[in-house]
């Protein structure tokens, strides 16, 4: 599986997958909508493609063994897009979510669930080798959730501060993806993966404050205030999905797995490590 196409290679996880694959010496191609803005490693072949324009996909997939797939395109494009991807690839590693994990954080009504399930069904029934990655909350969500407030001042206003999650570093998701793309033995696996610790949202913001040496004033806001104020982080259905998930998660520790260490042989990075490495993003 030496010729690998990364779809979503300019995003949070895909960019790390591209970088880690390139470091192994694999032949990496990245399908991107705007090659001029991709800024990927020089040895990576960058090709123009768009998941919503299925006719652009065949050339991108030509000669490819394995695909790393991130799908954030509209649901209407799933059927024609997956038809092309599964026709060309022998192996697909798909970045999904913990759809089957019984923890309440992951089991709230979610407008995206049907699309995830459709993608998984298309892959499962196609006959390709597949691996589904099921990470919990990304540590990198802090960049869109809290960094704008922290860059603007010392106040962070946020709902459900007591809600715990186990934030996972995007580099650890990528490390598991690289193993699944390059090694045998991961076919049919569904890897539920998390960071190493259950931390409340309050503890996560406080960790960022400690790392950047500022005493942040963290104030809890009501779900209704959050619905009005958090539209900067996504459309209302996404905000409502998060509010429901955090509300349901309160009162019990986050779901923590040992998948990253089992697959990569290295412990998953802590939120403190992630925040330390990302400190510049929280400073003006
Ligand atoms: N955030 C979390 O806590 C969390 C937890 C579990 C699972 N997930 C899942 O993880 C996935 C998101 O991963 P991420 O954060 O790494 O993604 P991301 O940073 O939002 O990046 C999305 C990538 O997809 C590309 N893309 C979007 N539309 C495209 C199209 N029409 N054609 C081709 N490429 C397109 C983007 O390219 P451009 O540069 O062209 O925009 C970008 O490279 C989602 O499926 C989400 O549900 C997230």
């Amino acid at each position: 599986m030496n010729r690998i196409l990364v779809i979503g290679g300019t995003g949070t996880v895909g960019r790390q997958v591209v970088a880690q694959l390139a470091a192994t010496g694999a032949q990496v191609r990245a399908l991107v909508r705007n090659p001029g803005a991709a800024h990927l490693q020089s040895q990576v072949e960058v090709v123009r493609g768009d998941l919503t324009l299925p006719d652009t996909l065949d050339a991108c997939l030509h000669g490819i063994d394995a695909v790393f797939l991130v799908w954030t395109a509209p649901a209407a494009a799933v059927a024609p897009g997956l038809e092309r991807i599964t026709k060309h690839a022998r192996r697909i590693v798909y970045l999904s979510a913990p759809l089957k994990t019984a923890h309440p954080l992951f089991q709230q009504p979610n407008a995206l669930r049907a699309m995830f399930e459709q993608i998984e069904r298309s892959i499962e029934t196609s006959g390709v080798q597949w691996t589904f990655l099921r990470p919990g909350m990304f540590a990198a969500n802090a960049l869109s959730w809290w960094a704008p407030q922290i860059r603007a001042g010392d106040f962070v206003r946020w709902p459900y501060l007591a809600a715990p999650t186990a934030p996972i570093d995007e580099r650890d998701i990528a490390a598991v993806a690289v193993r699944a793309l390059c090694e045998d033995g991961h076919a049919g696996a569904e890897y539920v993966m998390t960071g190493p610790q259950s931390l409340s949202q309050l503890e996560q913001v406080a960790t960022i404050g400690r790392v950047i040496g500022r005493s942040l004033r963290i104030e809890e806001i009501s779900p209704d205030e959050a619905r009005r104020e958090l539209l900067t982080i996504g459309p209302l259905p996404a905000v409502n999905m998060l509010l429901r998930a955090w509300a349901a998660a309160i009162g019990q520790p986050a779901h923590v797995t040992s998948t990253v260490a089992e697959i990569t042989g290295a412990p998953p990075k802590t939120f403190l490590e992630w925040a330390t490495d990302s400190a510049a993003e929280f400073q003006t």
Side-chain angles (χ1 to χ4, degrees), residues 7-15 31-34 49-53 70-74 94-98 112 115-116 133-139 141 145:
I7 300 178
T10 56
T12 302
V13 176
R15 188 172 285 282
L31 178 159
V32 304
R33 289 186 287 186
N34 183 356
D50 188 325
L51 292 168
T52 63
L53 303 172
V70 177
W71 188 289
T72 60
Y94 169 52
L95 179 63
S96 184
L112 287 177
M115 187 179 83
F116 281 119
L133 307 186
R134 302 193 181 283
M137 289 285 187
F138 294 1
N141 291 335
W145 293 354

Side-chain angles (χ1 to χ4, degrees), residues 51 71 73-84 115 118-120 122:
L51 292 168
W71 188 289
V78 167
L82 263 294
E83 190 198 320
R84 286 190 165 70
M115 187 179 83
Q118 186 191 356
I119 294 170
E120 292 186 6
S122 304

Side-chain angles (χ1 to χ4, degrees), residues 5 7 29 31 48-67 69 71 76-92 118-119 122-123 126 128:
L5 177 69
I7 300 178
R29 185 183 294 167
L31 178 159
R48 187 188 296 274
D50 188 325
L51 292 168
T52 63
L53 303 172
D55 290 345
T56 64
L57 301 180
D58 287 316
C60 300
L61 286 154
H62 183 73
I64 284 297
D65 297 310
V67 169
L69 177 63
W71 188 289
V78 167
L82 263 294
E83 190 198 320
R84 286 190 165 70
I85 295 167
T86 54
K87 192 176 79 192
H88 288 275
R90 290 194 288 140
R91 174 178 292 177
I92 297 176
Q118 186 191 356
I119 294 170
S122 304
I123 295 171
S126 70
V128 301

Side-chain angles (χ1 to χ4, degrees), residues 3-181:
R3 292 164 304 177
I4 299 165
L5 177 69
V6 177
I7 300 178
T10 56
T12 302
V13 176
R15 188 172 285 282
Q16 297 299 327
V17 172
V18 170
Q20 293 184 27
L21 282 173
T24 69
Q27 289 177 45
V28 192
R29 185 183 294 167
L31 178 159
V32 304
R33 289 186 287 186
N34 183 356
H39 306 299
L40 296 171
Q41 288 70 16
S42 56
Q43 69 269 43
V44 174
E45 181 192 1
V46 177
V47 294
R48 187 188 296 274
D50 188 325
L51 292 168
T52 63
L53 303 172
D55 290 345
T56 64
L57 301 180
D58 287 316
C60 300
L61 286 154
H62 183 73
I64 284 297
D65 297 310
V67 169
F68 178 71
L69 177 63
V70 177
W71 188 289
T72 60
V78 167
L82 263 294
E83 190 198 320
R84 286 190 165 70
I85 295 167
T86 54
K87 192 176 79 192
H88 288 275
R90 290 194 288 140
R91 174 178 292 177
I92 297 176
V93 177
Y94 169 52
L95 179 63
S96 184
L99 305 183
K100 302 176 181 172
T101 300
H103 191 283
L105 184 71
F106 306 129
Q107 289 306 329
Q108 302 314 304
N110 174 350
L112 287 177
R113 175 179 288 267
M115 187 179 83
F116 281 119
E117 288 170 347
Q118 186 191 356
I119 294 170
E120 292 186 6
R121 255 194 325 275
S122 304
I123 295 171
E124 282 168 330
T125 55
S126 70
V128 301
Q129 284 181 28
W130 55 264
T131 307
F132 296 154
L133 307 186
R134 302 193 181 283
M137 289 285 187
F138 294 1
N141 291 335
L143 298 177
S144 56
W145 293 354
W146 303 319
Q149 296 189 59
I150 294 172
R151 280 196 300 265
D154 287 335
F155 279 97
V156 176
R157 291 165 51 76
W158 203 252
Y160 297 114
L161 289 172
T165 66
I168 182 165
D169 191 305
E170 61 274 16
R171 294 168 294 186
D172 288 328
I173 304 172
V176 173
V178 167
R179 297 292 184 126
L181 287 163

